[in-house]
Structure formats: structure tokens, C-alpha cells
Amino acid sequence: MLSSMLKRLCLLIAVSSLPFAQAGGPPSKLVVGLLPGESAPTVMRLNEPLRAYLEKQLGMPVELVVGANYAATGEALRFGRIDIAYLGPVTYILQAKRAKLEPFARPSHDAVGPTFQAVIIVPADSRANSLADLKNRDIAFGDPASTSGTWVPRYMLAEAGLVSGRDYELRVLGAHDAVALAVAGHKVAAGGLSMPIFRRLLDEGKIKAGSVRVLAESPPIPEYMWTFRQGLEPAVKEKIRRAFINIDDPDALKVFRARSFIAAEDSDVDLVRHWIDVISRERPDALDIVR
């Protein structure tokens, strides 16, 4: 009970520390919320070209804000402290139950369209050859609300007959890069994370080539969605929507590995809703870690 109250207090502090977006009329600046999939400085650096592009297209200052955790970013959008946010399917699904949020754009990629994948990785010298071999081991995950860093890997393990708390110990590390480093350092038997982030960590040398290997890849996951807060002025929303759908700046698109942005709607993440239901049937308390 006490730990739950402390967790909620920390979340409220994180949300209250974010700037207020204007409640009515056109905002004097656009406040953009981002998830802390990696360290805040890394997320800010990678998204700077998008910030500059939006500032030019919209003719107003644009501020990037990285939440203390996934829930903090989602809550900030729900309470109107930020104007738009780039939310993973799970974060969006949970917040959309509490407020009228409006997804408007999502990245689309060459060959695979508006999808991406997660991976479960193990140390290169691991004896595991299948997910079933991870039984009774410690497995690392990212933020509790991360789609590719927690929920999809848990779904993959559930499909292999492994349920957290019964068949393996779930270790929450908060970010994709932390998971990869823990696996590379033999601190856990395996870890789940975003495949695009995993590949970039290898390309940038942040995890040593040959220190880890992919044990399993996920099915295609519906992409993240750019989402408006409730109450944003319609004319402002339309201007933002056009800026995303018409984007052709390669630097701004690079962080998303996207060839373009396409329109998004609530039903785009129905598959993820099904995966959440599968995990929740196995573990009725599964959603407790994100509340």
C-alpha cells in the first residue's frame, strides 16, 4: 500500500514539473512531449531536427519535454500540460481510457509500413536457444508502460508458455539502453527492447558487437502515434497535422527511420489491446506496474 502511494506521489511530482500548455485559444508556443526510451539528453538530441522543422512550419516557438517516465508523459498530455505527445501504443491506450485524446500521425517505413518490432536478446554465450529456455531466469524490461520494452516481450514470453512471477523474474530497468547494457554485462539472462533502438545502440557502439544476440523477434507492432491533447484549438490542430503529414525533411524523419508520416486513428492499436488482454488473463495484476 505504502509503495503504491509513494509511486503515485512520484508520478504526480513528475507531471507537475512539466510546463503548462495553454488551456484555451492558440498556444504561444507548442509544447511537445516525448517518452524517455533512452536518457533525456539522447532523446532531446535525436529530436532536435524535428523541433526545428516544426518551429519553422508553425511559426511559433516549439519546446521539447521528456517525461520522467512513460506514465508522466501520458499524464501530462491528459492534464493538458503539453500540447502533443509521441506515445507508444500501450501508453496511448491507458491514457485514452481517462481522457479524450486524438491520435493524428504515425511514421511509416520502407517495406514494413507503419510498424516496428521488439526483440528479446541474450548474452552471446547464453545456452538459450528458444524463449522456453528462459524459464526460471531473470529477464529485464524497460519502462512498465513501454510497448516494445515491456508489453510485447511479455506477450512473446506468454505465447511461449512463460508467465512473469511464475516462470521468470521480471526486472524493470526503465529504458531500452539500460536493458541492452544489462544483458551485455551478464547482469540478467535476457532482455526485451525495441529492435530499432537495439540496432542503433550496436551501430553507435554503445553495446559491443558480439556481446549479445537476438533470441526472438516479435510480430509487427503498430507504430507510435503523435497525439493531440484534449481542448487544443481546431485550427492549430489542423496546422500541426499538415506539418507532420507533409514533412519531407530527411533530418527530421531520421530519428523515426520514416519515409513519411501518415494519418493515425484509435483503431490502429487494436492489436496491442489484444496483447494486453492476453497478458492480463495470465496475470490479472499485470497493469498494476503502470498505475
Side-chain angles (χ1 to χ4, degrees), residues 35-228:
L35 299 175
E38 299 177 76
S39 68
T42 297
V43 174
M44 296 283 279
R45 171 179 60 82
L46 292 173
N47 284 277
E48 172 57 25
L50 176 67
R51 188 205 65 78
Y53 166 82
L54 290 175
E55 196 163 83
K56 180 179 179 180
Q57 293 297 311
L58 300 176
M60 70 172 72
V62 175
E63 179 182 357
L64 301 181
V65 176
V66 181
N69 51 48
Y70 282 47
T73 300
E75 294 270 291
L77 185 70
R78 179 163 70 93
F79 288 121
R81 295 178 182 273
I82 54 182
D83 296 305
I84 66 173
Y86 190 51
L87 301 182
V90 171
T91 304
Y92 166 77
I93 288 166
L94 296 180
Q95 295 301 330
K97 291 179 178 180
R98 304 168 182 171
K100 190 176 180 181
L101 304 181
E102 181 184 348
F104 65 91
R106 55 182 179 151
S108 185
H109 314 283
D110 290 328
V112 298
T115 67
F116 70 115
Q117 287 179 276
V119 290
I120 293 179
I121 61 173
V122 294
D125 59 359
S126 170
R127 295 182 179 180
N129 293 310
S130 70
L131 294 178
D133 294 333
L134 298 178
K135 188 170 184 178
N136 299 324
R137 307 300 301 276
D138 287 2
I139 304 177
F141 299 88
D143 189 279
S146 173
T147 302
S148 59
T150 294
W151 286 87
V152 174
R154 287 185 70 179
Y155 169 75
M156 295 164 66
L157 289 160
E159 288 292 281
L162 303 183
V163 176
S164 65
R166 185 190 74 189
D167 302 304
Y168 66 89
E169 194 66 33
L170 187 155
R171 301 295 185 193
V172 177
L173 301 186
H176 298 274
D177 50 356
V179 170
L181 289 169
V183 176
H186 289 81
K187 294 180 180 178
V188 290
L193 72 159
S194 160
M195 179 186 285
I197 293 178
F198 172 62
R199 288 175 172 169
R200 183 166 54 75
L201 292 171
L202 285 172
D203 290 344
E204 295 178 354
K206 293 184 177 178
I207 52 175
K208 187 177 178 180
S211 64
V212 298
R213 60 182 172 85
V214 173
L215 182 65
E217 298 181 2
S218 77
I221 307 166
E223 259 291 7
Y224 281 43
M225 301 192 294
W226 283 102
T227 306
F228 294 125

Side-chain angles (χ1 to χ4, degrees), residues 4 12 40 65 73 84 89-90 119 121 132 138 161 172 197 211 219 231-232 240 248 251 254 260 271 277 289:
S4 176
L12 290 173
V65 176
T73 300
I84 66 173
V90 171
V119 290
I121 61 173
D138 287 2
V172 177
I197 293 178
S211 64
L232 194 61
I240 296 168
D248 59 2
D251 290 332
K254 184 178 180 181
S260 65
L271 180 60
D277 288 344
I289 65 172

